[in-house]
Amino acid sequence: MAIAVAEWSITMNIKPLVIGDLTAKIPVIQGGMGVGISLSGLAGAVAAQGGIGIISTAQIGYRDHDFDKDPIGCNLKAIKTEIAKARELAGNGIIGVNIMMATRRYEDYVKAAVEAGVDLIISGAGLPMNLPALVQNVKTKLLPIVSSVKSVQVIMKYWMKKYRRLPDAVVVEGPLAGGHLGFSKEQLSDIENLHYDEEVGKIIQTVNETAKENNTDIPVIMAGGIYTREDMEHYLELGASGVQMATRFVTTYECDADDAYKRSYINARKEDIVIVKSPVGMPGRAILNPFMKKAAQGKIPHGKCHLCVSTCKPEETPYCITEALVNAAAGDVDNALLFCGANAYRAERMEHVKDIMDEFRP
């Protein structure tokens, strides 16, 4: 059986990912990971290899010495700096950003990325209904993240009615993804019963029908749980045009996180990966560690609010998610929120980005 799968993988026709006038030779988008996990180093390396590199704008300026005083100002400045640095590494490669809809002053983050000449914007953590209004008369591509047929129908209908445009591509984020998830805790407790591949098929059909009606192409990119080429081929068979991977890229030498964060993936067992309640009101997937055990017992004192997302209430939050994620990126893993995808336990060693991209190369 293993031989048959290997032979099929070699012979399957893998096409480049085409999003408007952008073409990625390898149909892989590296998922955005904040805070400080996917910055210019990782994004530039992926783009240089023929994929699409994504910088997460979530608290992107956390290393700035003025971050405590002016977090948003530092973030907006860092967006431009990191995009420029990624460009230097990527050559002619494609660079995008992931901007969460729930980000405070979301509009300013979008405008900063557009001014920096980013190729595309991926946006989730809520439906980015008004994103087209912020990106006019520029070539920046817009990719909303959806998790259901209903959500993709709502956003395509709204964008078409109000802005006379459709998404340039759609990212479907499934229940095996890392970080904050667009599913309820009950749904995540029995993922098999979701029969999510059926939903993916319906989303692809819906997007394709809308694209055909409007004489255009809207690629669908599958995200969540993709770790190997075989995983990618499964979704290409379902009709996706490409995949988005994040977890697989954490344990690369080029990933922007501290080595201790990367080792937490390599050391994790399957049972260590759990669904947690994020202080910003959404369920998330993370590695169980001393910090999460402590957080389950009560509030963890925190400092000044860093103005991350609009859903956080500093006076009520059980811990500061910015502080917890900054600790993760900096390597203080016992005092950190270690977001990860469902397959983080599969990481066994450090890799170079090139090695991963070669595995997915057509």
Side-chain angles (χ1 to χ4, degrees):
M1 184 66 179
I3 294 174
V5 170
E7 289 175 350
W8 179 65
S9 296
I10 291 170
T11 57
M12 186 178 185
N13 183 23
I14 307 294
K15 299 178 181 178
L17 174 57
V18 180
I19 304 174
D21 58 0
L22 301 175
T23 299
K25 294 178 181 178
I26 303 174
V28 170
I29 298 178
Q30 159 255 312
M33 295 173 282
V35 170
I37 309 301
S38 65
L39 299 175
S40 56
L42 179 56
V46 172
Q49 290 298 321
I52 298 178
I54 302 295
I55 296 166
S56 169
T57 66
Q59 303 296 54
I60 189 173
Y62 77 96
R63 294 176 295 190
D64 193 298
H65 64 276
D66 287 328
F67 184 68
D68 285 341
K69 292 188 293 183
D70 181 18
I72 293 179
C74 291
N75 289 337
L76 296 177
K77 182 171 64 174
I79 287 172
K80 298 179 180 181
T81 302
E82 290 295 322
I83 290 173
K85 288 165 65 177
R87 288 269 184 229
E88 292 179 10
L89 296 170
N92 294 322
I94 303 170
I95 297 294
V97 290
N98 182 297
I99 308 177
M100 295 189 299
M101 179 62 192
T103 302
R104 292 177 193 253
R105 285 176 53 185
Y106 172 79
E107 296 83 358
D108 292 330
Y109 285 67
V110 171
K111 290 174 182 177
V114 170
E115 288 173 6
V118 78
D119 294 314
L120 58 87
I121 295 172
I122 296 175
S123 192
L127 290 180
M129 304 299 282
N130 299 320
L131 179 56
L134 308 173
V135 184
Q136 296 180 352
N137 303 317
V138 295
K139 296 175 68 175
T140 306
K141 306 296 185 287
L142 306 182
L143 286 69
I145 297 174
V146 302
S147 294
S148 66
V149 171
K150 183 178 180 180
S151 59
V152 77
Q153 287 174 332
V154 166
I155 201 158
M156 289 195 301
K157 183 178 180 180
Y158 186 84
W159 281 18
M160 197 64 189
K161 182 178 180 180
K162 187 160 186 178
Y163 305 110
R164 301 303 303 168
R165 71 162 295 168
L166 290 165
D168 296 291
V170 171
V171 177
V172 180
E173 189 170 272
L176 299 177
H180 292 121
L181 302 165
F183 298 85
S184 69
K185 189 174 181 181
E186 291 71 30
Q187 289 174 315
L188 295 169
S189 67
D190 190 4
I191 291 174
E192 283 189 20
N193 238 357
L194 287 176
H195 302 292
Y196 197 66
D197 276 4
E198 295 178 15
E199 188 74 8
V200 173
K202 292 175 184 176
I203 293 171
I204 293 171
Q205 181 181 354
T206 299
V207 172
N208 288 346
E209 288 173 353
T210 301
K212 187 176 181 180
E213 289 169 3
N214 292 276
N215 196 29
T216 189
D217 293 313
I218 307 175
V220 176
I221 295 103
M222 183 61 200
I226 292 94
Y227 200 82
T228 64
R229 183 187 177 104
E230 185 179 357
D231 296 331
M232 176 181 75
E233 290 177 350
H234 169 72
Y235 288 108
L236 296 184
E237 283 282 294
L238 288 181
S241 297
V243 295
Q244 177 177 284
M245 298 192 306
T247 292
R248 179 74 185 272
F249 286 110
V250 168
T251 50
T252 59
Y253 295 100
E254 295 86 354
C255 176
D256 298 276
D258 187 89
D259 284 349
Y261 181 83
K262 302 174 187 182
R263 286 196 300 272
S264 70
Y265 277 47
I266 294 172
N267 295 333
R269 301 165 299 174
K270 189 173 184 177
E271 57 267 31
D272 295 329
I273 298 170
V274 297
I275 300 299
V276 301
K277 183 179 180 181
S278 165
V280 301
M282 293 178 277
R285 180 172 281 110
I287 296 173
L288 186 63
N289 66 343
F291 178 82
M292 292 314 305
K293 293 175 182 177
K294 185 178 179 182
Q297 296 173 354
K299 280 191 174 185
I300 297 176
H302 59 84
K304 180 182 177 183
C305 176
H306 291 91
L307 305 176
C308 59
V309 297
S310 56
T311 54
C312 182
K313 299 178 180 179
E315 66 281 359
E316 298 176 11
T317 185
Y319 59 89
C320 174
I321 193 167
T322 290
E323 291 178 1
L325 292 174
V326 166
N327 286 346
D332 186 7
V333 294
D334 286 341
N335 294 296
L337 172 56
L338 304 173
F339 272 153
C340 69
N343 286 315
Y345 72 94
R346 295 172 69 177
E348 297 178 344
R349 66 187 188 283
M350 294 291 293
E351 301 177 274
H352 284 288
V353 163
K354 183 181 184 303
D355 298 329
I356 295 174
M357 298 305 284
D358 283 346
E359 178 184 331
F360 288 81
R361 201 175 297 277

